[in-house]
PDB file of all heavy atoms in Angstrom:
ATOM      1  N   PHE A 653       5.895   4.971  20.408  1.00 93.00           N
ATOM      2  CA  PHE A 653       4.650   4.740  21.133  1.00 93.00           C
ATOM      3  C   PHE A 653       4.853   4.995  22.627  1.00 93.00           C
ATOM      4  O   PHE A 653       4.045   5.665  23.286  1.00 93.00           O
ATOM      5  CB  PHE A 653       4.201   3.293  20.888  1.00 93.00           C
ATOM      6  CG  PHE A 653       2.925   2.898  21.570  1.00 93.00           C
ATOM      7  CD1 PHE A 653       1.704   3.068  20.943  1.00 93.00           C
ATOM      8  CD2 PHE A 653       2.940   2.346  22.844  1.00 93.00           C
ATOM      9  CE1 PHE A 653       0.519   2.696  21.568  1.00 93.00           C
ATOM     10  CE2 PHE A 653       1.768   1.971  23.485  1.00 93.00           C
ATOM     11  CZ  PHE A 653       0.555   2.144  22.836  1.00 93.00           C
ATOM     12  N   ALA A 665       6.789   1.584  33.268  1.00 94.00           N
ATOM     13  CA  ALA A 665       6.272   0.209  33.247  1.00 94.00           C
ATOM     14  C   ALA A 665       4.935   0.141  32.516  1.00 94.00           C
ATOM     15  O   ALA A 665       4.678  -0.791  31.737  1.00 94.00           O
ATOM     16  CB  ALA A 665       6.132  -0.327  34.672  1.00 94.00           C
ATOM     17  N   ALA A 667       3.834   2.300  30.235  1.00 94.00           N
ATOM     18  CA  ALA A 667       4.053   2.581  28.816  1.00 94.00           C
ATOM     19  C   ALA A 667       4.544   1.333  28.087  1.00 94.00           C
ATOM     20  O   ALA A 667       4.091   1.033  26.968  1.00 94.00           O
ATOM     21  CB  ALA A 667       5.058   3.722  28.651  1.00 94.00           C
ATOM     22  N   LEU A 668       5.446   0.592  28.720  1.00 94.00           N
ATOM     23  CA  LEU A 668       5.952  -0.638  28.109  1.00 94.00           C
ATOM     24  C   LEU A 668       4.849  -1.692  28.031  1.00 94.00           C
ATOM     25  O   LEU A 668       4.702  -2.386  27.016  1.00 94.00           O
ATOM     26  CB  LEU A 668       7.142  -1.168  28.911  1.00 94.00           C
ATOM     27  CG  LEU A 668       7.781  -2.471  28.407  1.00 94.00           C
ATOM     28  CD1 LEU A 668       8.198  -2.362  26.949  1.00 94.00           C
ATOM     29  CD2 LEU A 668       8.977  -2.855  29.284  1.00 94.00           C
ATOM     30  N   SER A 669       4.061  -1.814  29.083  1.00 95.00           N
ATOM     31  CA  SER A 669       2.956  -2.772  29.088  1.00 95.00           C
ATOM     32  C   SER A 669       1.952  -2.447  27.985  1.00 95.00           C
ATOM     33  O   SER A 669       1.472  -3.344  27.272  1.00 95.00           O
ATOM     34  CB  SER A 669       2.268  -2.769  30.447  1.00 95.00           C
ATOM     35  OG  SER A 669       1.141  -3.621  30.448  1.00 95.00           O
ATOM     36  N   ASP A 670       1.631  -1.158  27.827  1.00 93.00           N
ATOM     37  CA  ASP A 670       0.706  -0.738  26.772  1.00 93.00           C
ATOM     38  C   ASP A 670       1.255  -1.093  25.393  1.00 93.00           C
ATOM     39  O   ASP A 670       0.509  -1.504  24.492  1.00 93.00           O
ATOM     40  CB  ASP A 670       0.451   0.766  26.847  1.00 93.00           C
ATOM     41  CG  ASP A 670      -0.377   1.171  28.059  1.00 93.00           C
ATOM     42  OD1 ASP A 670      -0.983   0.269  28.683  1.00 93.00           O
ATOM     43  OD2 ASP A 670      -0.397   2.372  28.384  1.00 93.00           O
ATOM     44  N   ALA A 671       2.570  -0.919  25.205  1.00 92.00           N
ATOM     45  CA  ALA A 671       3.189  -1.239  23.914  1.00 92.00           C
ATOM     46  C   ALA A 671       3.103  -2.732  23.624  1.00 92.00           C
ATOM     47  O   ALA A 671       2.918  -3.142  22.472  1.00 92.00           O
ATOM     48  CB  ALA A 671       4.645  -0.781  23.896  1.00 92.00           C
ATOM     49  N   ARG A 672       3.213  -3.554  24.664  1.00 91.00           N
ATOM     50  CA  ARG A 672       3.086  -5.011  24.472  1.00 91.00           C
ATOM     51  C   ARG A 672       1.650  -5.376  24.101  1.00 91.00           C
ATOM     52  O   ARG A 672       1.407  -6.157  23.191  1.00 91.00           O
ATOM     53  CB  ARG A 672       3.497  -5.741  25.751  1.00 91.00           C
ATOM     54  CG  ARG A 672       5.000  -5.802  25.987  1.00 91.00           C
ATOM     55  CD  ARG A 672       5.332  -6.918  26.973  1.00 91.00           C
ATOM     56  NE  ARG A 672       6.763  -7.062  27.161  1.00 91.00           N
ATOM     57  CZ  ARG A 672       7.418  -6.672  28.252  1.00 91.00           C
ATOM     58  NH1 ARG A 672       6.766  -6.083  29.246  1.00 91.00           N
ATOM     59  NH2 ARG A 672       8.716  -6.855  28.355  1.00 91.00           N
ATOM     60  N   VAL A 673       0.690  -4.799  24.835  1.00 90.00           N
ATOM     61  CA  VAL A 673      -0.719  -5.104  24.574  1.00 90.00           C
ATOM     62  C   VAL A 673      -1.102  -4.693  23.154  1.00 90.00           C
ATOM     63  O   VAL A 673      -1.869  -5.383  22.466  1.00 90.00           O
ATOM     64  CB  VAL A 673      -1.629  -4.398  25.608  1.00 90.00           C
ATOM     65  CG1 VAL A 673      -3.094  -4.515  25.205  1.00 90.00           C
ATOM     66  CG2 VAL A 673      -1.408  -4.992  26.993  1.00 90.00           C
ATOM     67  N   ALA A 674      -0.544  -3.571  22.674  1.00 87.00           N
ATOM     68  CA  ALA A 674      -0.853  -3.080  21.331  1.00 87.00           C
ATOM     69  C   ALA A 674      -0.174  -3.896  20.239  1.00 87.00           C
ATOM     70  O   ALA A 674      -0.436  -3.687  19.053  1.00 87.00           O
ATOM     71  CB  ALA A 674      -0.441  -1.608  21.211  1.00 87.00           C
ATOM     72  N   GLY A 675       0.705  -4.821  20.632  1.00 82.00           N
ATOM     73  CA  GLY A 675       1.366  -5.668  19.641  1.00 82.00           C
ATOM     74  C   GLY A 675       2.618  -5.074  19.046  1.00 82.00           C
ATOM     75  O   GLY A 675       3.096  -5.545  18.017  1.00 82.00           O
ATOM     76  N   PHE A 676       3.193  -4.044  19.688  1.00 85.00           N
ATOM     77  CA  PHE A 676       4.391  -3.395  19.157  1.00 85.00           C
ATOM     78  C   PHE A 676       5.660  -3.938  19.821  1.00 85.00           C
ATOM     79  O   PHE A 676       6.650  -4.183  19.150  1.00 85.00           O
ATOM     80  CB  PHE A 676       4.319  -1.872  19.370  1.00 85.00           C
ATOM     81  CG  PHE A 676       3.089  -1.240  18.774  1.00 85.00           C
ATOM     82  CD1 PHE A 676       2.426  -0.214  19.437  1.00 85.00           C
ATOM     83  CD2 PHE A 676       2.579  -1.672  17.558  1.00 85.00           C
ATOM     84  CE1 PHE A 676       1.293   0.368  18.906  1.00 85.00           C
ATOM     85  CE2 PHE A 676       1.438  -1.099  17.019  1.00 85.00           C
ATOM     86  CZ  PHE A 676       0.793  -0.076  17.695  1.00 85.00           C
ATOM     87  N   ALA A 677       5.629  -4.099  21.145  1.00 82.00           N
ATOM     88  CA  ALA A 677       6.832  -4.507  21.880  1.00 82.00           C
ATOM     89  C   ALA A 677       6.904  -6.020  21.985  1.00 82.00           C
ATOM     90  O   ALA A 677       5.906  -6.689  22.253  1.00 82.00           O
ATOM     91  CB  ALA A 677       6.837  -3.881  23.274  1.00 82.00           C
ATOM     92  N   GLU A 678       8.105  -6.565  21.785  1.00 80.00           N
ATOM     93  CA  GLU A 678       8.346  -7.987  21.986  1.00 80.00           C
ATOM     94  C   GLU A 678       8.402  -8.272  23.492  1.00 80.00           C
ATOM     95  O   GLU A 678       8.516  -7.361  24.319  1.00 80.00           O
ATOM     96  CB  GLU A 678       9.671  -8.391  21.335  1.00 80.00           C
ATOM     97  CG  GLU A 678       9.778  -8.083  19.849  1.00 80.00           C
ATOM     98  CD  GLU A 678       8.976  -9.041  18.992  1.00 80.00           C
ATOM     99  OE1 GLU A 678       8.505 -10.076  19.520  1.00 80.00           O
ATOM    100  OE2 GLU A 678       8.806  -8.748  17.785  1.00 80.00           O
ATOM    101  N   GLU A 679       8.340  -9.558  23.843  1.00 79.00           N
ATOM    102  CA  GLU A 679       8.485  -9.933  25.252  1.00 79.00           C
ATOM    103  C   GLU A 679       9.814  -9.427  25.813  1.00 79.00           C
ATOM    104  O   GLU A 679       9.892  -8.956  26.929  1.00 79.00           O
ATOM    105  CB  GLU A 679       8.387 -11.452  25.414  1.00 79.00           C
ATOM    106  CG  GLU A 679       6.978 -11.978  25.577  1.00 79.00           C
ATOM    107  CD  GLU A 679       6.188 -11.243  26.651  1.00 79.00           C
ATOM    108  OE1 GLU A 679       6.643 -11.203  27.817  1.00 79.00           O
ATOM    109  OE2 GLU A 679       5.128 -10.668  26.332  1.00 79.00           O
ATOM    110  N   ASP A 680      10.881  -9.523  25.004  1.00 87.00           N
ATOM    111  CA  ASP A 680      12.166  -8.934  25.382  1.00 87.00           C
ATOM    112  C   ASP A 680      12.356  -7.675  24.533  1.00 87.00           C
ATOM    113  O   ASP A 680      12.749  -7.747  23.370  1.00 87.00           O
ATOM    114  CB  ASP A 680      13.310  -9.912  25.109  1.00 87.00           C
ATOM    115  CG  ASP A 680      14.680  -9.308  25.419  1.00 87.00           C
ATOM    116  OD1 ASP A 680      14.720  -8.174  25.950  1.00 87.00           O
ATOM    117  OD2 ASP A 680      15.691  -9.960  25.127  1.00 87.00           O
ATOM    118  N   PRO A 681      12.078  -6.485  25.108  1.00 90.00           N
ATOM    119  CA  PRO A 681      12.126  -5.257  24.324  1.00 90.00           C
ATOM    120  C   PRO A 681      13.490  -4.579  24.317  1.00 90.00           C
ATOM    121  O   PRO A 681      13.617  -3.432  23.900  1.00 90.00           O
ATOM    122  CB  PRO A 681      11.110  -4.369  25.051  1.00 90.00           C
ATOM    123  CG  PRO A 681      11.276  -4.759  26.490  1.00 90.00           C
ATOM    124  CD  PRO A 681      11.628  -6.238  26.494  1.00 90.00           C
TER     125      PRO A 681
END
Side-chain angles (χ1 to χ4, degrees):
F653 180 90
L668 179 55
S669 176
D670 290 345
R672 284 199 176 106
V673 170
F676 304 141
E678 303 285 349
E679 273 310 303
D680 177 6

